[in-house]
Amino acid sequence: RDTGRDIAPAFLQLGSPVAKAYAALKESASASHSVRLAMLASKVRSAKVGHFEKVLSSIDKMIQTLKEENDADIAKRDQCKDEYQKIESTVKDLNWKIEKNEAKIEQLTKLIELRTQQLAETVASIEEVDLHMKTITEERTAENGAFLKAKMEDQQAIDLLMEARKVFTAFYKKNKIEMGPIQGSIKGAAFAQVFGSQEPFMVSDDQAPDAVFNEKGARKGESKGIVSILTMIIEDLNDEIKNGMKGEEEAQVDFEAQMAAATQLHDDLLAKKVALESAIAKRNEERSLEIEDMDENHKLLQDEVNYKKSITPDCDWIIRAFEGRAKARASEMSGLVGAKEFLVGTSSLIETSKTATFDDSALSKVRFLGLRR
């Protein structure tokens, strides 16, 4: 007996909801070149009427996957853009720092060269001052030695002359012969007295000398002249010693003044030398630290370059493919949503037909293809 239970499926097939769902998925799969959508379309096509739960679940899962992929693409694109911006900013900052490092190093190098030149000049000046001090000391020592020698010789001559004068005067003192005042202070007077009072005369070579015997004190004038000459020489020598001592004192004062000035200059130059050496050491340390800082900046810059190189393939790909992937997902999403609507509608219709009572008059209203009324 025909109860009409098999008529509902035939009725549903006439509406072609499954075919519409399949067509929607196939069209989207072709537009987006989606293999997974094509596979889902095959599942829809082969699914039995009334058994779309698994297909609908697969569609929901795929819709969720598309949403997650979209969120992941957005996050990846934004992350890449942020990283590129950070890298660009970091690279600019590091390049700026390296330029500052190079400028500072150049400045310190020039300053070190200047201070090194000044140090060399200072050392040369110290050597010149040392040589000057040595020279004037040697000269002063030689001058003092010459003075002492001359003084000693003069003193010895004075002692000898005084002894001779003592011998001359002893005779007259012994015989109580008065010589009168000795004019030793009048230079040349004694010579005039002894030799200037006699007129020159000619004596024949054949004439015998006169034998004249004088009394004691007859030649006291001549002796007095000799004593005066000795006294004059002694006084001259004493004057020479006094003048020598005065000259020696003046020379010593001048020497001490020169040595004081030279010593002060030497101390100043030594202080300058120490200051320059300290400055050079400090600048060398600063330059070393600046070089270390520049090397570190170069390392950080290379790290940024390497990091960008490592992320460039993926980041360039996602940035370049982002719009296309979004468009393909939109197409997939459209097909999935459309297919789901068709299948959900079909399922609802099947549930309704299962609960309805059979209408015998309905058969006469059905129009079969190829049959006339």
Side-chain angles (χ1 to χ4, degrees), residues 140-156 240-241 244-245 248 252:
R140 179 83 280 274
T141 301
E143 290 173 355
N144 180 255
F147 161 73
L148 293 175
K149 181 181 178 182
K151 180 182 178 184
M152 182 184 67
E153 292 174 349
D154 287 345
Q155 189 63 54
Q156 289 175 348
E240 185 176 333
I241 290 174
M245 291 179 66
E248 174 67 12
Q252 182 64 26

Side-chain angles (χ1 to χ4, degrees), residues 159-196:
D159 292 342
L160 183 61
L161 291 170
M162 289 181 69
E163 184 66 25
R165 188 178 65 176
K166 181 179 179 181
V167 171
F168 272 101
T169 57
F171 173 79
Y172 293 96
K173 288 181 180 179
K174 181 179 179 181
N175 293 281
K176 300 180 180 180
I177 301 172
E178 294 296 331
M179 297 181 67
I182 304 300
Q183 298 178 349
S185 61
I186 303 176
K187 293 183 180 180
F191 289 100
Q193 181 181 359
V194 175
F195 302 106

Side-chain angles (χ1 to χ4, degrees), residues 26-259:
K26 184 177 180 181
E27 181 180 0
S28 295
S30 299
S32 60
H33 305 286
S34 174
V35 176
R36 59 187 176 184
L37 215 59
M39 294 176 64
L40 185 59
S42 298
K43 287 183 180 181
V44 171
R45 185 177 184 182
S46 61
K48 294 182 179 180
V49 176
H51 299 280
F52 300 132
E53 292 82 2
K54 292 182 178 181
V55 175
L56 289 172
S57 176
S58 297
I59 290 174
D60 288 339
K61 288 180 180 179
M62 191 171 293
I63 289 173
Q64 183 61 33
T65 298
L66 290 175
K67 290 180 179 180
E68 291 174 356
E69 287 181 357
N70 184 67
D71 293 341
D73 278 6
I74 292 173
K76 183 65 176 178
R77 179 202 62 185
D78 292 346
Q79 181 187 16
C80 284
K81 287 183 176 181
D82 289 342
E83 289 301 311
Y84 277 168
Q85 289 179 353
K86 289 179 182 178
I87 291 172
E88 182 181 3
S89 176
T90 302
V91 167
K92 287 182 179 179
D93 181 64
L94 288 171
N95 281 326
W96 178 80
K97 288 181 178 179
I98 290 172
E99 289 179 1
K100 294 296 182 183
N101 290 141
E102 292 174 345
K104 185 66 173 179
I105 291 170
E106 182 180 1
Q107 179 185 6
L108 289 171
T109 300
K110 290 181 179 179
L111 190 56
I112 290 170
E113 290 175 353
L114 175 62
R115 295 291 179 258
T116 302
Q117 180 181 354
Q118 292 175 340
L119 177 61
E121 293 172 353
T122 301
V123 171
S125 297
I126 291 173
E127 292 175 353
E128 290 178 1
V129 172
D130 287 338
L131 179 60
H132 173 67
M133 294 172 70
K134 179 182 178 182
T135 300
I136 63 175
T137 300
E138 291 175 349
E139 291 176 352
R140 179 83 280 274
T141 301
E143 290 173 355
N144 180 255
F147 161 73
L148 293 175
K149 181 181 178 182
K151 180 182 178 184
M152 182 184 67
E153 292 174 349
D154 287 345
Q155 189 63 54
Q156 289 175 348
I158 290 172
D159 292 342
L160 183 61
L161 291 170
M162 289 181 69
E163 184 66 25
R165 188 178 65 176
K166 181 179 179 181
V167 171
F168 272 101
T169 57
F171 173 79
Y172 293 96
K173 288 181 180 179
K174 181 179 179 181
N175 293 281
K176 300 180 180 180
I177 301 172
E178 294 296 331
M179 297 181 67
I182 304 300
Q183 298 178 349
S185 61
I186 303 176
K187 293 183 180 180
F191 289 100
Q193 181 181 359
V194 175
F195 302 106
S197 61
Q198 299 179 4
E199 294 292 335
F201 61 92
M202 301 300 294
V203 179
S204 173
D205 293 336
D206 297 328
Q207 182 179 350
D210 294 330
V212 180
F213 298 94
N214 296 324
E215 297 179 357
K216 291 179 179 181
R219 301 181 66 87
K220 65 178 182 181
E222 295 178 2
S223 297
K224 179 181 178 181
I226 292 173
V227 172
S228 296
I229 291 173
L230 294 176
T231 302
M232 179 188 66
I233 295 174
I234 290 171
E235 290 178 354
D236 286 345
L237 290 174
N238 279 321
D239 289 341
E240 185 176 333
I241 290 174
K242 290 178 181 179
N243 292 332
M245 291 179 66
K246 182 179 180 181
E248 174 67 12
E249 183 179 358
E250 292 175 352
Q252 182 64 26
V253 170
D254 182 63
F255 166 74
E256 290 176 357
Q258 289 188 54
M259 282 297 293

Side-chain angles (χ1 to χ4, degrees), residues 313-326:
D314 289 343
C315 283
D316 281 1
W317 177 82
I318 190 63
I319 292 173
R320 183 175 58 252
F322 181 81
E323 294 298 332
R325 285 169 59 83

Side-chain angles (χ1 to χ4, degrees), residues 12-28 41 44-45 52 59 334-346:
L12 292 174
Q13 290 175 3
L14 292 177
S16 303
V18 176
K20 290 181 180 180
Y22 169 75
L25 291 173
K26 184 177 180 181
E27 181 180 0
S28 295
V44 171
R45 185 177 184 182
F52 300 132
I59 290 174
S334 177
L336 289 170
V337 171
K340 182 178 180 180
E341 289 177 353
F342 287 128
L343 293 177
V344 169
T346 301

